[in-house]
Every structure is written in C-alpha cells, then in structure tokens.
Amino acid sequence: MGEQQKVNQTEQDLNHVLKARREKLAELQAAGKDPFQITKYDVTVHSMDVKDNYQQWEGKEAVIAGRMMFKRVMGKASFCNVQDLQGTIQVYVARDSIGEEPYKDFKKMDIGDIVGVKGTVFTTKTGEISIHAAEVTLLTKSLQVLPEKFHGLTDTDTRYRQRYVDLIMNAEVKDTFIKRSRIISAIRTYLSGQGFMEVETPMLVANAGGAAARPFETHFNALDEDLKMRISLELYLKRLIVGGLERVYEIGRVFRNEGLDTRHNPEFTLMELYQAYTDYNGMMELTENLYRHVAQAVLGTTTITYKGVEMDLGRPFARITMVEAVKKYAGVDFDEIHTLEEARAIAKEKGVEFEARHKKGDILNLFFEEFAEEHLVQPTFVLDHPVEISPLTKKKPGNPDYVERFEFFMNGWEMANAYSEINDPIDQRERFKAQEELLAQGDEEANHTDEDFLNALEVGMPPTGGIGFGIDRMVMLLTDSPAIRDVLLFPTMKSLEK
C-alpha cells in the first residue's frame, strides 16, 4: 500500500470511529440516558489519595470521577483505568456487581469518556490498588479520539494548539503546570510575609513605558483614542509608592510586539515589586531569599538541575560588575576606554556590531551580551550598568556614567532586573528627553515622556528599590522545561487559517 493510500485508509478509519461515537450518543439519548443531562457528580476522593493512604481506604467506599484511559472487557468482568487530577486508578467492573443492563452500557463506553465510579477499595491478586465498582456512570461522552496511547501526543505544534489533549496524554505536562501554580503561590506567600501588598494596575495605557520594547497598539472606540498594551508594570507601581503604600507588587501579563523563540512570547508573565526606603542592595537580598524560599517550597531543595546542569541557590549568589564581567570574558577593560571613538574602535576590532546612535555605554552592554552572558550559569548578580541603557535608575554617587542597577542571571539567562529607582524629577525629565531623541532617531523601543509620572515624582517619591522578575523563565528553570511555550498553557501560535 502506498503512502497516500495509507493516509486515506487512516482517515476513513477515523471517520468511521467518529461516526460510531455519535451513533452511540444518539442511542443513549433515545433511551433517556443522555450523559449531557447530568449536572453534577459527588466525588469523595482522588486516585492518588486512595493509593497513598491505602490502609485507611481498604474495604471502604470511594467515589471517583475522571477520564477512561484504558478498558479491557473479559466476558462477565472487565478492567478499566480512570484518570483524574492526581493520576490513574484501576477499576474492576463485574456484571454481577453493577447489574446486567449497566454492564452492557459499560461495554459500549469508549476510551476518552468521562465516568463516575462508586465502589470499594481493594487490592487485586497482582497487588494493584483498585476500586471494585458498584456503579459506573457515564458523565460525558467523548466524540473525539485521543492520540494512540503507545505513540502518545508528541507533535509539538499540536501539543501547544490543543493543550487540553496534551494535559490528558502527558502526565509530566500536567505536573509542570501544577508546579507553575505552586511557584506563583510560594512567591505570594513569601512577599506577604515580608509586608508586601499585591495590587493591580492598567493593561491598556496611553503611554507604554518602563521597559525597552515595542508595544502593541489598539483603539478604544468609546473615547476615540489610541491606546497601547502595557510593556511593563513599573510606572503605575511607582505612583503607588508616591501614594505611601511603601511595599507593593503585581504579577501580571505584559505584552511586547517582538519575536517568538524558546525564551520569548509576545505576552508573558512579569512580576514587579517596589519597596520604599531601600536600594538595589536590598533588592539583591530579597532576590536571594525569594528564590531559595520558592525552590525549597516547590522542589524541597535549593539545588536545581536544568538540562543536566546543577545550579546551587543555597550558596551566596555571585556578584560582578558589568565592567568586570566584560574584562573577564572579553578581555576588554572599559575603565580604560574614555571616548565613544575608542569604544567604537574596540568594537570593530572584536567584531561587535553596533549602530550609529549607540553611545559608549550601549557598546559596553553589547560586549556584555556577546561575551559574558552565556558564562553566568550559577546564580549571579551583574551590577552597575551604564547610564545610557538605564533611563529609570539612580546614578552611582561619584560615578555618573553608571547606575545602581543589577540584572540577575542563571543558566546564562537574565532572570530579573532591579534598580535603585530615580526619585529626582529633574533628572528623570532629562532621561526622558534623551529617550525622546532616540525615538526621533528611529528607536521603536525607547520610552515616551510620561508627564503624569513626572508629576508624581514632583509630589515626592521616597528612596526606593524596585525589581522585575520573569516568572516564565523562573518556571522553566524550576521545572526543567526547554522552551517558554512549555510553561505557558496557551502560547501564541500562528493561525492555521493563513
């Protein structure tokens, strides 16, 4: 049989199965047994609760519900496996226990159907903890066919588009998203214990600031105004520090009109927090403690492994300035480079591409990205960035070319970005002015001047430390997931209609 004939035969077989499932549903409805008319089912326990606590469940009645993933009919007695939130459990279904008519109905059920089971917990002769069914109730008729169990659902495009099937077929995927929920819960628990208040700020904004990124743009018909989707949480949270809330944070989606790759999705989850009366040193201490708390709470250890590489969150995190990192990994000392011409010359010598608008500090950052980032595998704070790439950060006292900022790196990835925040409205206006000049030169990622934010700073913001955490990358590391799409339930995908 040729390849095309095989495809045609497979499609015919599938169509036959789908037709048969719809016919079964029609028969049930005609007999007054429509499963879609059932509105509730009182579950008393989940699969792993029974298995993990067998001694207290042995001989007792359990009521479970879930999806039938396996069925073997053997005359007057059958076995099936039911999968619920926690895992799977075997069910023994005997005609003499559930009755002749219900047993006939059971034999017609399909893999993928959702069933409720009431029965007694026992162990089979082979030692498998099971439920001896007294009742099996069809709760939902599945009209589609699950992927063939042996081969599983392996096509990544289908897995991301049909995450609901992915979660059914791949237990490790479900585990990843359960861990993701626990990670975010652990973050909230830690911050609440430190006196932080969780808040919500606008997603639709007139001025998308606080980061270097292209925004998505939209139109609000009611006011006939163009708006942008936020690219960061920063400027509204700082307004709350001005308002006296002292310790605030937000975990929410932000939107950046950029490319897709293993670490980037146009919408992703960011956490930003701001704390009055501290600086970037306070943010370093918070970052170390937060990461340790989350790893211990979710994984039970502060040593994590990503793609076979161990990273130790238990030891004090390494600290290195950006200038030191470039000197160490590129062999170039920017403390000895005093002019833009010198910076351009060394960039050309080392093959680092730059644009005409780039200043000395931009070129230092390009060197860092090119030569240093990939080496920062163990937890590392990279300190003291050039002022040109840090429009919202306080300058270092006595060294105005640099600012009090750090980026936190693990596995060669930027995991967090933190500042001693500017609270000088005059300095901030000058920084915005420089950003406006970059916009005029064609930099679509530069910030616009935000007059209301400047007004807030003029009202007065205390000395403040702030930080932004990429939640998705944190989840990737803690769940050993290779791509950001593996930790987003519904990642952005190209439309199939194009």
Side-chain angles (χ1 to χ4, degrees):
M1 189 185 287
E3 204 60 43
Q4 188 56 49
Q5 285 178 301
K6 286 181 183 176
V7 170
N8 292 341
Q9 184 62 49
T10 301
E11 286 182 359
Q12 286 175 14
D13 292 345
L14 180 61
N15 289 336
H16 177 74
V17 171
L18 295 177
K19 184 168 178 282
R21 290 195 175 204
R22 278 163 173 75
E23 287 171 353
K24 286 181 183 179
L25 175 63
E27 287 173 15
L28 287 166
Q29 290 169 330
K33 298 176 181 178
D34 185 354
F36 296 118
Q37 295 299 313
I38 295 173
T39 58
K40 65 182 293 236
Y41 190 79
D42 293 325
V43 174
T44 62
V45 69
H46 283 86
S47 57
M48 296 311 295
D49 291 331
V50 170
K51 289 182 172 183
D52 292 343
N53 303 285
Y54 176 68
Q55 286 183 318
Q56 71 183 65
W57 280 98
E58 184 183 13
K60 294 196 171 66
E61 182 185 87
V63 184
I64 64 157
R67 192 176 299 273
M68 191 185 296
M69 299 301 291
F70 167 82
K71 188 175 84 161
R72 186 167 80 246
V73 176
M74 304 179 300
K76 297 178 184 178
S78 303
F79 286 96
C80 68
N81 283 355
V82 175
Q83 177 176 295
D84 60 16
L85 172 69
Q86 295 180 350
T88 61
I89 192 164
Q90 180 173 271
V91 179
Y92 173 66
V93 185
R95 187 191 68 183
D96 294 345
S97 298
I98 68 170
E100 196 162 333
E101 193 65 31
Y103 191 64
K104 283 181 185 174
D105 290 341
F106 169 78
K107 289 200 289 185
K108 291 179 183 177
M109 292 179 193
D110 291 305
I111 302 302
D113 287 352
I114 296 174
V115 298
V117 176
K118 181 189 286 187
T120 307
V121 177
F122 78 112
T123 306
T124 64
K125 289 175 184 174
T126 57
E128 184 164 355
I129 296 168
S130 307
I131 295 175
H132 188 148
E135 292 176 15
V136 179
T137 306
L138 179 62
L139 302 175
T140 301
K141 183 70 192 165
S142 175
L143 301 178
Q144 271 291 353
V145 179
L146 293 175
E148 201 265 310
K149 185 67 180 171
F150 179 74
H151 296 103
L153 181 63
T154 55
D155 176 66
T156 52
D157 192 72
T158 304
R159 285 182 52 221
Y160 298 141
R161 290 184 191 280
Q162 298 184 22
R163 183 66 86 187
Y164 43 92
V165 180
D166 191 22
L167 290 164
I168 294 166
M169 300 306 298
N170 296 314
E172 70 279 4
V173 172
K174 185 188 288 186
D175 183 58
T176 292
F177 288 105
I178 290 170
K179 278 195 176 120
R180 180 186 174 107
S181 177
R182 291 177 60 207
I183 287 165
I184 293 172
S185 178
I187 290 169
R188 287 190 164 110
T189 299
Y190 178 78
L191 291 178
S192 176
Q194 297 297 309
F196 281 86
M197 172 181 169
E198 185 172 9
V199 297
E200 293 176 298
T201 61
M203 290 189 184
L204 287 170
V205 294
N207 186 351
R214 266 180 74 185
F216 287 93
E217 297 182 0
T218 187
H219 186 77
F220 183 25
N221 293 333
L223 294 180
D224 192 25
E225 286 184 356
D226 290 332
L227 293 172
K228 298 178 176 69
M229 302 294 287
R230 67 184 180 189
I231 59 173
S232 136
L233 314 172
E234 180 164 348
L235 300 183
Y236 281 99
L237 292 176
K238 284 181 176 176
R239 286 167 167 90
L240 301 180
I241 295 290
V242 171
L245 295 185
E246 292 196 4
R247 296 188 183 202
V248 294
Y249 78 97
E250 180 173 7
I251 298 174
R253 281 290 172 103
V254 296
F255 309 87
R256 298 183 182 180
N257 201 348
E258 298 169 345
L260 291 160
D261 62 28
T262 56
R263 282 185 279 160
H264 294 89
N265 194 72
E267 55 174 314
F268 62 97
T269 304
L270 184 64
M271 180 181 78
E272 291 195 33
L273 64 84
Y274 293 85
Q275 179 179 340
Y277 311 114
T278 192
D279 62 1
Y280 76 148
N281 292 300
M283 292 297 101
M284 278 185 260
E285 183 181 347
L286 183 145
T287 302
E288 285 201 38
N289 292 335
L290 175 64
Y291 259 79
R292 284 187 196 122
H293 171 84
V294 172
Q296 192 67 50
V298 177
L299 305 178
T301 177
T302 54
T303 302
I304 66 169
T305 303
Y306 185 80
K307 291 190 174 179
V309 178
E310 274 197 2
M311 285 164 264
D312 188 356
L313 293 163
R315 291 186 304 188
F317 295 2
R319 301 186 183 198
I320 189 170
T321 69
M322 185 177 280
V323 169
E324 288 167 348
V326 169
K327 186 176 178 181
K328 180 175 180 179
Y329 296 109
V332 176
D333 186 355
F334 268 75
D335 281 340
E336 300 300 319
I337 294 170
H338 303 292
T339 66
L340 176 56
E341 287 67 32
E342 289 173 345
R344 285 174 171 169
I346 194 70
K348 286 175 183 173
E349 182 188 318
K350 294 286 188 179
V352 175
E353 294 182 12
F354 59 90
E355 296 176 27
R357 62 185 170 82
H358 283 149
K359 306 283 196 301
K360 175 191 161 188
D362 296 296
I363 293 172
L364 166 61
N365 187 51
L366 292 170
F367 265 84
F368 172 74
E369 291 173 352
E370 181 76 24
F371 294 103
E373 277 191 7
E374 64 184 290
H375 298 286
L376 306 176
V377 175
Q378 294 302 318
T380 303
F381 293 120
V382 177
L383 318 176
D384 302 349
H385 293 50
V387 68
E388 293 92 340
I389 63 166
S390 312
L392 297 161
T393 318
K394 270 192 174 178
K395 293 173 184 172
K396 284 187 72 66
N399 195 355
D401 289 343
Y402 296 91
V403 296
E404 291 195 344
R405 173 183 174 186
F406 73 78
E407 288 174 296
F408 172 49
F409 281 84
M410 285 179 69
N411 194 49
W413 302 348
E414 180 205 333
M415 305 297 294
N417 186 18
Y419 312 152
S420 298
E421 306 294 338
I422 291 181
N423 60 343
D424 177 348
I426 297 165
D427 186 6
Q428 183 64 78
R429 183 174 290 280
E430 287 301 311
R431 308 280 192 95
F432 276 139
K433 187 177 175 184
Q435 289 284 301
E436 293 284 0
E437 288 170 6
L438 291 174
L439 276 169
Q441 293 170 32
D443 184 353
E444 293 179 319
E445 296 186 347
N447 283 212
H448 285 275
T449 301
D450 188 328
E451 289 294 345
D452 182 71
F453 177 64
L454 288 169
N455 184 65
L457 290 188
E458 287 177 1
V459 169
M461 185 173 87
T464 297
I467 189 165
F469 287 89
I471 296 294
D472 305 306
R473 289 186 189 178
M474 185 183 202
V475 175
M476 285 172 68
L477 276 188
L478 294 180
T479 60
D480 201 3
S481 298
I484 191 170
R485 289 188 296 180
D486 296 312
V487 300
L488 297 175
L489 279 166
F490 300 101
T492 302
M493 304 288 288
K494 187 174 182 179
S495 172
L496 288 172
E497 294 174 9
K498 288 194 174 179

